[in-house]
Amino acid sequence: MRTFARTAVRATLAAALPLLSFASIAAAETACRADLIELRGPFGTSRFTVEVVDTAASRAQGLMFREHLPSGAGMLFVYDRPQNVAFWMKNTLIPLDMIFMAEDGTVRRVHADAVPGDLTAIPGGEDIRFVLEINAGLAGAIGIAPGAQARHPAIPADRAAWPC
């Protein structure tokens, strides 16, 4: 009876291994798409569908005049080089959390609950290359904080803390 049970377990594992490998490959492929960003930290891993804005004109427009942002979505601002950045909420109708990241994708600062329409500058700090905007309250609810790491194709693989 034990021999039969061991054989059955081995057969089940042998059948499951290709599926597990396929699942791992599928997860790796989806993690490195231009329309997705993943963040990891003590909270685990979170994924957001993103709209990438990487030109001066698209960054200037940002999320202005939009009335809704789905809870699993965000906007990823990509700069050509690390720099000192600051945001404001002029013409922005949605309260937001702003996640400021270094060139390697490491979160440097999180600004929670940016107020719609507020013209006060929100500094991100120096040497910021990426900014992720998500719905207000999500960063705190998830636990996204300085030190978390992001993974996205825009983050240079040779410098990424968590490469694709």
Side-chain angles (χ1 to χ4, degrees):
M1 185 73 157
R2 287 185 186 183
T3 303
F4 175 75
R6 275 186 269 171
T7 303
V9 168
R10 284 185 190 139
T12 302
L13 287 174
L17 283 176
L19 296 175
L20 292 173
S21 297
F22 178 75
S24 297
I25 291 167
E29 287 175 0
T30 61
C32 293
R33 293 185 353 216
D35 66 336
L36 291 175
I37 188 168
E38 277 190 306
L39 289 106
R40 73 177 180 184
F43 54 87
T45 303
S46 289
R47 180 183 296 166
F48 295 91
T49 301
V50 291
E51 179 180 343
V52 176
V53 289
D54 56 4
T55 65
S58 63
R59 286 189 301 262
Q61 178 68 34
L63 288 168
M64 290 195 307
F65 304 109
R66 296 197 192 177
E67 296 179 0
H68 178 71
L69 181 65
S71 64
M75 181 169 279
L76 180 63
F77 292 74
V78 177
Y79 293 90
D80 295 330
R81 59 180 173 67
Q83 57 193 280
N84 190 359
V85 301
F87 280 51
W88 65 356
M89 295 291 287
K90 182 178 182 179
N91 299 319
T92 305
L93 310 174
I94 308 163
L96 299 170
D97 287 346
M98 297 176 188
I99 302 165
F100 297 91
M101 295 172 276
E103 184 170 31
D104 68 354
T106 301
V107 173
R108 291 267 182 87
R109 180 172 189 266
V110 176
H111 178 87
D113 301 315
V115 178
D118 190 358
L119 301 181
T120 305
I122 300 168
E126 295 180 11
D127 294 327
I128 299 299
R129 176 113 190 252
F130 308 99
V131 181
L132 175 62
E133 291 183 337
I134 58 177
N135 282 301
L138 277 180
I142 293 169
I144 300 169
Q149 298 170 334
R151 171 164 69 175
H152 185 271
I155 300 169
D158 62 332
R159 295 183 186 105
W162 185 23
C164 284

